[in-house]
Amino acid sequence: MYDNPLTADVPLGPFEGTPVTVHSAKGRSAKLHSTTDCSQLRTAAVTEARVLLDAATVGRLCAQCWSWGPWTRSGSGLGVFLRALGGSGLLFQQQCYDGPDEDVDWDCDEVQAAAGFLRSATSYENEDCDEDGEARDEDVRHDAATLRDRVFDRRRAAAQSLHRAESIAEVFPWLEDWAKPKLIAKKQHLEELRTHAALFVDPAGLLAGAAASGMSEPDLPVSDPAFGALGKSSEIAKGLAALWRDWQHEAAGSRNGSTRPSYVVANLMHGIRSNRKGYDQTRSAAEQLVASWAEHARTVVVAADPTSTQLVKVTLREIKERTPHQPEHGFLHDIDSWTLGALVTHLTEADWGRRTLTLRVPTLVAERLLTNSWPLACETHDDDTAPANSDAHDPTSHIQPGVFDDTPVLERRPVTVEHLRALRAFTPDVDQLFIVFSTSGGAEVLPLTVIEKRLAGGWQGVIVAGASDLPASLIKPWAERIGARPESGTPLWPQPVPDADGPRFGAELGLECGEARAAWLAVDDRDREPNLRLLAILRGVHDLRTLDGGHDRDGHRRTVPKAVWHGLLAEETLDLEPFEPATGDRRGRGSGIPLGVLADVQIYTTNANPRIQGKGHSPLCRHSNERGVADDDDLLTPADLLGREDLDYHWCSKCGGYAVRRLTDTQLSYYRAAHRLHEIA
């Protein structure tokens, strides 16, 4: 692991002079710590101070606290900046892949020898060798292939490291001049790795692969009796079609023009006994057919103009970090060997920070890149030179004090798409809900994804606070009043009280029950307080459907945790019998009590229209995957339920068909009073 200390020469930019809270032992030269729990703080007499972040303070920072300690809230501007520097950020990336590593690297002679062997015909098969010769060749081929893979893997890792370093320096432009010497060294090493990787690529082989990729499926000799060993006519057609696909995939994916006809033919003959009548004849005919396809690809290459080239701009995908459900992907991952070969052979210009490469490639290669470039995004360049990136920076897009919560609200700066992109990149545990203010919409609570969409449409606003910004002086006493989750074996929730005269009648619909559910249904104790912070913010949202922020990278909705949805919505249905019309006959059940303050109670269901196929479910129902409220759910009121008689068969029998937004104390008191009056009547 590289040592990546924050040194006094690192420019702090607009964050220089920001007040931070530190802890230390007594003494002017004592190290400054971010927390009293630091193992390096070995004293009982700990002092707390508020100091300004400058070169003198940086020189006294505890190295362990710098690497792991929370110097400030991670979602603040300063927190984002420090996260971008620390961990696997800029200071770490500057020390990675800045030159050859004598422990893992190789010399140029080794690479040339391995590349020459793999390009030779004997690297795949040599029928004239004896068994000992075949074994020796196989060992050499294995070692050469291993070295080739190491070269490409190290180049990909070096390019990814340079991308991270350049993209961070671009977000914080005051770091660019300071980081420039290290970035130049990383670029030079990356270019050395590119030249080594290019030795394993045959430019003529790239042309052959491009030609094979562009070939259409030829007429297959289904009626040729030489293929009789494959079976019936339908089986022959199916087998030859698979043979074509296997060969085209093999030929189009090769970056050195080498193919393995015996490999694709073996797939065709798999499952057929070698002593079957016509076996040898069928195998020979298949090999001849594959050879004819390869010859046609060579004809296409010969017919192409070797002097005709074209500029192609390639945009790499963003890096998708490793998750519990998916390994790291994006960038240079998941790219086939032919495309990697084209990138290392024909690269002319690279902006790794913005993930854009410029290639000058033969027309045949350009046609393949432009028509079949997934997972890359390729487009043509009309000019002979790659467009120069402007050195001018938009000051409003910089992460600086005032964008998040580093300044009083009066001094907040409008948030931009670049701010949110940096927040996501450097703060994995970023809040997903924010209180925002704009002149067009006033104060609102919006998911981060919704803010991004609005910004793309020209919206202007400031971030007032996230859930983690709420005062602890309010949240902690609230959590203490709710108390700890009952021990295992103790019922979490009391049974509903059927008697309207009971003191807890209808309590399961109220806010107090919601608070307990949000706290006690947390994944672990660390989530209890964050859940209550979210619940406090969301109680003021007018329409819960606006909280739908879409899906995350794993395909799950994550804007609001499931426990918080249970804090906002009640799983129990409303008993509206007291509010039904009084018919005057003995069979009439209602008392005709006005809805009063209950008229505005919100009811959410996945489907309230009987004409649309599918029953209505609560957003908390297991049939709706307990996803919470989505933007396409239906919003009803108690008056809507009283006026319809077609919903009994339309609701889900498990959840009752809907979830009701928890009743305020006033609404719950009215609900109880109405039921008591109804029982008296």
Side-chain angles (χ1 to χ4, degrees):
M1 184 69 177
Y2 295 100
D3 184 23
N4 54 330
L6 179 64
T7 53
D9 65 310
V10 179
L12 301 176
F15 295 106
E16 185 167 3
T18 302
V20 294
T21 301
V22 297
H23 307 272
S24 67
K26 293 182 179 180
R28 294 184 177 181
S29 60
K31 288 293 185 181
L32 303 178
H33 304 265
S34 65
T35 174
T36 57
D37 297 332
C38 179
S39 61
Q40 302 299 316
L41 188 56
R42 303 185 183 95
T43 179
V46 178
T47 62
E48 179 179 315
R50 192 79 169 161
V51 300
L52 301 182
L53 187 64
D54 53 20
T57 301
V58 169
R60 294 178 58 192
L61 292 182
C62 166
Q64 179 171 304
C65 287
W66 153 244
S67 300
W68 309 106
W71 290 101
T72 183
R73 197 181 66 81
S74 60
S76 66
L78 177 59
V80 173
F81 175 59
L82 294 180
R83 289 286 287 268
L85 288 177
S88 60
L90 180 60
L91 298 180
F92 173 78
Q93 299 300 337
Q94 281 185 319
Q95 302 177 70
C96 301
Y97 305 104
D98 56 350
D101 188 336
E102 59 182 13
D103 294 330
V104 299
D105 276 358
W106 46 83
D107 58 45
C108 191
D109 292 339
E110 289 182 272
V111 175
Q112 290 178 340
F117 183 84
L118 291 177
R119 283 199 302 268
S120 66
T122 58
S123 62
Y124 282 104
E125 49 192 32
N126 188 344
E127 298 179 356
D128 295 333
C129 289
D130 55 21
E131 292 183 0
D132 292 339
E134 289 179 359
R136 286 194 300 271
D137 278 356
E138 181 61 27
D139 291 341
V140 175
R141 191 198 71 80
H142 178 269
D143 293 342
T146 299
L147 179 57
R148 176 197 61 199
D149 295 341
R150 288 172 55 202
V151 170
F152 276 91
D153 288 345
R154 183 165 176 83
R155 179 184 178 273
R156 178 172 58 243
Q160 187 165 305
S161 176
L162 180 58
H163 158 67
R164 291 181 186 274
E166 286 191 339
S167 60
I168 294 172
E170 183 177 352
V171 173
F172 308 101
W174 59 87
L175 295 173
E176 289 186 344
D177 291 341
W178 170 80
K180 190 174 182 179
K182 284 287 189 179
L183 296 181
I184 290 177
K186 291 174 69 67
K187 291 178 182 179
Q188 292 173 344
H189 180 58
L190 183 59
E191 177 60 21
E192 294 175 3
L193 294 174
R194 187 198 68 80
T195 58
H196 289 174
L199 295 175
F200 292 97
V201 183
D202 182 7
L206 293 177
L207 291 172
S213 176
M215 291 172 57
S216 301
E217 182 177 315
D219 294 332
L220 301 175
V222 177
S223 59
D224 190 338
F227 295 100
L230 298 178
K232 300 178 182 178
S233 178
S234 59
E235 295 173 332
I236 295 175
K238 182 179 179 180
L240 293 183
L243 178 68
W244 160 256
R245 290 192 301 269
D246 289 347
W247 174 83
Q248 188 179 45
H249 178 77
E250 176 82 7
S254 174
R255 55 186 168 216
N256 54 19
S258 300
T259 58
R260 296 171 290 178
S262 60
Y263 171 76
V264 295
V265 172
N267 284 344
L268 175 69
M269 306 302 295
H270 180 71
I272 302 176
R273 299 191 311 272
S274 59
N275 59 355
R276 182 172 179 173
K277 181 179 179 181
Y279 178 91
D280 293 336
Q281 184 180 10
T282 298
R283 187 180 185 92
S284 176
E287 291 174 350
Q288 294 176 11
L289 185 60
V290 169
S292 68
W293 295 336
E295 181 60 30
H296 180 71
R298 286 191 290 269
T299 302
V300 173
V301 173
V302 172
D305 184 0
T307 62
S308 177
T309 60
Q310 188 173 347
L311 279 174
V312 176
K313 178 183 176 182
V314 178
T315 302
L316 306 177
R317 295 182 299 166
E318 292 185 9
I319 299 174
K320 303 296 183 181
E321 302 292 348
R322 182 185 301 273
T323 68
H325 308 286
Q326 193 172 27
E328 182 182 272
H329 58 293
F331 201 64
L332 289 173
H333 295 271
D334 309 322
I335 299 178
D336 64 89
S337 61
W338 183 92
T339 305
L340 285 175
L343 294 181
V344 301
T345 303
H346 300 293
L347 182 67
T348 60
E349 187 73 23
D351 184 346
W352 293 105
R354 295 184 173 90
R355 311 186 319 280
T356 58
L357 311 177
T358 302
L359 313 180
R360 180 176 290 280
V361 295
T363 302
L364 197 60
V365 175
E367 291 175 354
R368 171 169 175 178
L369 288 173
L370 296 172
T371 57
N372 184 22
S373 61
W374 189 91
L376 308 177
C378 299
E379 57 182 327
T380 58
H381 269 337
D382 295 331
D383 300 329
D384 291 337
T385 58
N389 293 315
S390 175
D391 291 330
H393 294 282
D394 179 10
T396 62
S397 66
H398 301 166
I399 296 290
Q400 53 191 309
V403 174
F404 299 111
D405 68 340
D406 303 276
T407 63
V409 176
L410 182 64
E411 302 174 9
R412 294 292 163 86
R413 303 172 184 270
V415 66
T416 66
V417 174
E418 289 76 13
H419 293 151
L420 299 187
R421 186 177 296 120
L423 184 66
R424 285 190 183 278
F426 306 126
T427 313
D429 55 348
V430 61
D431 286 338
Q432 291 300 312
L433 291 166
F434 289 91
I435 302 174
V436 301
F437 175 80
S438 65
T439 55
S440 59
E444 301 174 273
V445 177
L446 297 177
L448 194 58
T449 52
V450 174
I451 299 175
E452 291 172 329
K453 292 177 182 177
R454 288 195 180 185
L455 288 171
W459 178 82
Q460 284 192 325
V462 298
I463 290 180
V464 178
S468 56
D469 298 322
L470 298 184
S473 59
L474 294 178
I475 302 300
K476 289 185 177 179
W478 186 22
E480 292 173 358
R481 178 174 58 82
I482 295 172
R485 177 187 175 108
E487 296 181 358
S488 179
T490 304
L492 285 180
W493 328 117
Q495 292 295 323
V497 177
D499 185 2
D501 289 328
R504 291 197 54 80
F505 173 77
E508 64 276 4
L509 298 169
L511 296 177
E512 185 176 347
C513 181
E515 297 169 358
R517 293 191 181 235
W520 293 350
L521 292 176
V523 176
D524 54 43
D525 291 340
R526 292 174 299 179
D527 294 327
R528 293 181 68 239
E529 187 173 318
N531 282 359
L532 292 176
R533 290 175 176 274
L534 287 172
L535 181 62
I537 282 184
L538 298 178
R539 279 180 167 176
V541 175
H542 176 66
D543 187 345
L544 298 182
R545 294 178 296 183
T546 61
L547 302 178
D548 184 3
H551 295 80
D552 63 8
R553 294 174 178 176
D554 296 330
H556 305 119
R557 296 180 185 270
R558 67 168 188 175
T559 304
V560 179
K562 187 188 301 182
V564 179
W565 280 124
H566 283 273
L568 293 169
L569 301 171
E571 296 177 272
E572 295 76 13
T573 57
L574 291 171
D575 181 0
L576 298 177
E577 183 176 326
F579 311 101
E580 293 178 356
T583 59
D585 57 33
R586 294 181 178 180
R587 289 180 295 179
R589 299 192 307 164
S591 296
I593 300 175
L595 285 170
V597 294
L598 298 178
D600 297 329
V601 171
Q602 295 179 342
I603 296 171
Y604 294 91
T605 178
T606 60
N607 181 17
N609 189 350
R611 296 184 178 181
I612 297 178
Q613 185 177 6
K615 290 188 175 184
H617 297 277
S618 160
L620 304 178
C621 180
R622 61 183 179 85
H623 292 109
S624 59
N625 296 321
E626 302 178 81
R627 55 167 170 72
V629 179
D631 59 0
D632 58 350
D633 284 346
D634 293 326
L635 176 60
L636 305 175
T637 64
D640 296 324
L641 300 187
L642 288 175
R644 295 178 61 171
E645 299 179 355
D646 56 352
L647 292 175
D648 288 344
Y649 68 90
H650 184 64
W651 291 137
C652 169
S653 61
K654 302 294 184 183
C655 66
Y658 63 84
V660 59
R661 189 158 182 175
R662 294 197 174 273
L663 306 183
T664 64
D665 293 343
T666 301
Q667 291 170 335
L668 183 56
S669 296
Y670 187 84
Y671 181 78
R672 288 170 172 168
H675 274 270
R676 289 168 185 164
L677 181 61
H678 176 61
E679 285 194 359
I680 294 174

